[in-house]
Amino acid sequence: PLLRCARDSAAAPSAPLRAPPFPPARAPLVFALPLAAAMGAPERTALDQAYFDAYEDMSTHALMLRDAPRCSAYARALRAANLEGKAVLDVGAGTGLLSILAAKFGARVVYSCEASGLAAAIGAAAQANGVGDVVKVMHCRAEELELPEKVDVIVSEWMGFHLYHECMLESVLRARDAWLSPSGLMVPGRCRVMAAPVCADAIIEERLAPFADCEGVDLSVFIGPAAQQLLEANPQVTVLEQDALLAQPRCVDEADLHVIPAAEAGRCGDELVFVATREAVCHGYALWFECDFFAKRPSSSGEGADDDGLGDMGEGDEPAVVLSTGPEAPPTHWKQTVVLLPEQLGATPGARLDCAFRLAPDARVPRNCVLQCAVGGSVRELEQEALVEAAAVAAAAA
């Protein structure tokens, strides 16, 4: 039977909507003001402002800075990129970590673009690290950016859960179209969304076990409602063990960030064939992503690229660094995104667990990514369902 599961990833764990102003005590003057006002933030929509305000919550940045695989991958990639004497643009600079690293690795100038109020502090952070004369802070959205020159490298940590959550990639690509030199390098340069069917026993055990027994009291009558709510919930963002996978992972989407059109960012879909490798219950599908970082622009990122912007990798085009957020890699703050099915599937060795996936920005809340999957279905069916839903939303709003 055809099983469909449409989920909006917006409800996956994310940063709080607004951080309180920094306390003035024992803080530099720049922190004594609410950050959004510190540098005269440009006018924005309420949704945009809420998004940027969320990134003034320092606990969000602490989470990312504690992510050793993430930070190490970017540091190694920037070191490998031979930045000596080059102009670099950092899109969505946050705390300025990548801007400062680029400056330390020899960049002639680093344009640090940050739309949130944290822009007010990046210059001080650069100064504290001895690169204040190299890092130039631009307090604006990527689409509002004005630079005095084209840049040789664009670096950005734009990825969200299952890669496209938060839908920031389009902004990065619009900055690329406006400011990257023809032979310039994108960091990262190529990204993939991966998927696999999973046995989610560990998730279910964690969420339902408290109802089995508490201080000798049997509360198992609540297991049914709790299980139903879990199955109806939005995707679960969690860390899976590699043995939770029931088939070889497949690629849902691969994008070459040097050439993919900005209008196509985060819009993808594919019908994947999965062959079960063991006997287990299939509770749903997990998604994660991988990023390739290149030391120089790959020769495949040019005239030889096909309609998807992907050409054959040439000699010397191997990535210098690969960041994986999959179950086989050290855990990151992105973890894995698990979509639970409304009905469990039985898996035996050799059984087919095929599934169609579709990802696209939410027309109602563009920062959200709508993730759909259909067991035994097709991308075309998912697209039709999305059109029907969009029409219903438009009719309700009229």
Side-chain angles (χ1 to χ4, degrees):
L2 181 66
L3 296 179
R4 287 189 177 82
C5 191
R7 294 289 188 266
D8 185 342
S9 68
S14 60
L17 282 182
R18 181 178 290 275
F22 278 83
R26 299 190 303 278
L29 180 60
V30 69
F31 290 123
L33 301 172
L35 287 180
M39 294 185 68
E43 291 186 11
R44 304 188 179 107
T45 67
L47 288 174
D48 259 354
Q49 192 59 56
Y51 174 73
F52 296 128
D53 285 353
Y55 279 96
E56 293 177 12
D57 184 341
M58 299 313 298
S59 65
T60 299
H61 293 280
L63 177 70
M64 293 187 286
L65 294 172
R66 283 194 298 264
D67 187 337
R70 164 194 181 267
C71 297
S72 173
Y74 272 92
R76 288 181 288 132
L78 288 170
R79 188 185 295 275
N82 186 25
L83 299 180
E84 193 67 37
K86 293 180 179 177
V88 177
L89 170 60
D90 180 3
V91 178
T95 59
L97 172 67
L98 303 184
S99 297
I100 293 168
L101 285 173
K104 282 179 170 288
F105 294 150
R108 169 177 55 82
V109 61
V110 180
Y111 299 105
S112 188
C113 176
E114 174 57 38
S116 81
L118 261 68
I122 294 175
Q127 197 71 37
N129 285 274
V131 291
D133 58 334
V134 177
V135 176
K136 312 297 182 185
V137 182
M138 322 295 288
H139 186 210
C140 62
R141 298 168 67 245
E143 293 85 351
E144 302 160 347
L145 194 61
E146 292 292 337
L147 299 179
E149 61 179 324
K150 295 282 188 177
V151 298
D152 305 294
V153 177
I154 291 181
V155 62
S156 181
E157 197 276 74
W158 53 268
M159 299 85 76
F161 300 126
H162 58 76
L163 191 63
Y164 292 133
H165 180 65
E166 296 186 25
C167 300
M168 181 181 165
L169 177 57
E170 184 171 351
S171 296
V172 176
L173 297 181
R174 301 224 177 264
R176 175 205 66 188
D177 293 343
W179 300 111
L180 186 64
S181 67
S183 60
L185 175 68
M186 295 292 291
V187 180
R190 188 173 293 214
C191 301
R192 290 174 294 281
V193 180
M194 305 297 295
V198 295
C199 176
D201 281 343
I203 297 176
I204 294 171
E205 172 69 19
E206 177 190 358
R207 306 296 168 85
L208 303 186
F211 299 101
D213 177 87
C214 183
E215 297 294 333
V217 177
D218 181 357
L219 298 175
S220 58
V221 66
F222 295 104
I223 289 180
Q228 187 63 35
Q229 290 179 7
L230 179 61
L231 293 175
E232 293 174 351
N234 284 284
Q236 306 295 305
V237 178
T238 187
V239 175
L240 294 171
E241 298 295 331
Q242 190 169 7
D243 61 9
L245 304 188
L246 297 179
Q248 184 71 21
R250 302 294 182 191
C251 182
V252 178
D253 184 53
E254 185 172 28
D256 184 335
L257 302 192
H258 297 93
V259 294
I260 181 176
E264 295 179 12
R267 296 165 174 83
C268 63
D270 205 353
E271 297 152 18
L272 302 183
V273 173
F274 295 107
V275 179
T277 56
R278 64 185 178 90
E279 184 172 353
V281 173
C282 175
H283 296 100
Y285 293 82
L287 292 93
W288 63 91
F289 66 87
E290 300 170 348
C291 291
D292 294 338
F293 297 80
F294 298 93
K296 62 180 181 178
R297 186 182 180 111
S299 59
S300 57
S301 301
E303 295 180 359
D306 60 23
D307 291 340
D308 295 323
L310 298 171
D312 295 330
M313 298 293 280
E315 186 176 351
D317 279 351
E318 296 79 11
V321 177
V322 177
L323 170 64
S324 174
T325 64
E328 84 292 347
T332 69
H333 79 282
W334 290 288
K335 304 179 183 179
Q336 292 89 45
T337 300
V338 179
V339 180
L340 297 173
L341 297 172
E343 298 179 31
Q344 300 173 353
L345 303 175
T348 56
R352 294 279 290 271
L353 299 170
D354 301 355
C355 189
F357 298 88
R358 179 180 179 272
L359 294 89
D362 188 335
R364 296 164 297 181
V365 186
R367 290 290 178 183
N368 294 345
C369 177
V370 175
L371 165 60
Q372 298 171 282
C373 65
V375 178
S378 69
V379 173
R380 182 176 179 81
E381 290 173 306
L382 293 177
E383 290 174 343
Q384 290 299 318
E385 288 183 0
L387 289 173
V388 171
E389 181 180 353
V393 170

